[in-house]
Amino acid sequence: MVKIAPSILSADFSRLGEEIKAAEKAGADWIHVDVMDGHFVPNITIGPPVVKSIKKSAAIPLDVHLMIEDPDQYIDAFVKAGSDIISVHAEASTHLHRSINYIKGSGAKAGVSLNPSTPLNILDFILPEVDLVILMSVNPGFGGQEFIPQTLNKLRMLKEIIKRNKLKVEIEIDGGVNTDNAPDVVKAGADILVMGNAFYGSKDYAGVVKAVRKKCG
């Protein structure tokens, strides 16, 4: 069954603890945490202190997505803050193999994220090492963008590579996912759906989860 990971980037920041509890009650599987530095992407969001704070409210895994330059220098801080999954961008990590294995050695699951125009062959020598691949279906930096349809072909290609090599790697799609396009995304091979505005912009969180589960089987 597909996992649903609401992104707190679209939540009410004045009541994050309540928003996380509400997502859990609605049936969410993970909480997605977008970390932006204003350099790698044109926006600034949160850091380790906020992750540490929301960890107190979260009973489900915190899926921390580092959209930052030089992620290696911050991995320790995010692990200590309580991140269960940490993903770094292939485009931002100078020594990706070292980054991935450092995350895993620190006790968290490790993921690598690719921007929409980044080709899959960047994963050729790292894919067996990762727990997760995030395919960005929007250009990172802002919430509320529309899903880039070319992501579906990229997703199908990655799923085939994973199957052919018999790897235990999950695929997460991040950007513009909603109840209308979720079935196509899951059919193409997604294991985890990040949902921002489509989830936290709804008045019925449980209804969103129910609709996705029903449409995606």
Side-chain angles (χ1 to χ4, degrees):
M1 184 168 60
V2 67
K3 295 185 179 77
I4 298 173
S7 170
I8 61 168
L9 183 64
S10 298
D12 182 349
F13 269 53
S14 69
R15 42 193 294 274
L16 277 181
E18 296 172 48
E19 291 277 60
I20 289 170
K21 288 295 185 185
E24 292 174 356
K25 186 177 180 180
D29 300 282
W30 293 357
I31 296 295
H32 189 77
V33 183
D34 290 303
V35 177
M36 306 180 187
D37 64 355
H39 295 282
F40 181 67
V41 294
N43 202 355
I44 298 174
T45 55
I46 65 175
V50 175
V51 173
K52 183 177 180 180
S53 179
I54 64 177
K55 182 66 175 179
K56 299 173 184 177
S57 300
I60 57 178
L62 293 183
D63 173 32
V64 177
H65 180 188
L66 301 184
M67 289 177 270
I68 62 177
E69 292 182 353
D70 194 14
D72 286 11
Q73 65 175 313
Y74 298 103
I75 289 171
D76 277 336
F78 280 103
V79 169
K80 291 176 182 178
S83 306
D84 297 286
I85 306 111
I86 296 177
S87 296
V88 299
H89 269 262
E91 306 88 352
S93 183
T94 305
H95 303 286
L96 186 57
H97 182 274
R98 182 172 67 192
S99 302
I100 292 298
N101 282 280
Y102 190 81
I103 293 169
K104 292 168 69 175
S106 299
K109 288 187 175 182
V112 58
S113 183
L114 305 184
N115 285 336
S117 64
T118 301
L120 292 176
N121 62 13
I122 201 169
L123 299 172
D124 283 354
F125 300 103
I126 196 63
L127 193 57
E129 305 290 332
V130 305
D131 300 297
L132 171 74
V133 174
I134 300 177
L135 294 183
M136 294 301 301
S137 42
V138 299
N139 289 293
F142 299 96
Q145 300 182 68
E146 290 189 10
F147 183 89
I148 297 173
Q150 290 90 338
T151 306
L152 293 176
N153 284 334
K154 191 176 184 181
L155 171 54
R156 293 185 191 101
M157 292 169 64
L158 178 58
K159 193 70 171 184
E160 177 57 31
I161 293 169
I162 290 170
K163 285 184 177 180
R164 185 169 65 244
N165 291 281
K166 299 179 180 179
L167 301 174
K168 294 182 178 179
V169 178
E170 292 186 291
I171 305 174
E172 181 174 293
I173 301 298
D174 183 359
V177 177
N178 54 47
T179 54
D180 292 327
N181 60 28
D184 290 334
V185 176
V186 172
K187 185 177 180 181
D191 302 294
I192 305 124
L193 305 178
V194 175
M195 301 185 75
N197 285 357
F199 185 89
Y200 279 117
S202 168
K203 294 181 180 180
D204 181 7
Y205 299 168
V208 172
V209 172
K210 184 178 180 180
V212 172
R213 302 272 191 231
K214 183 177 180 180
K215 290 185 176 184
C216 298

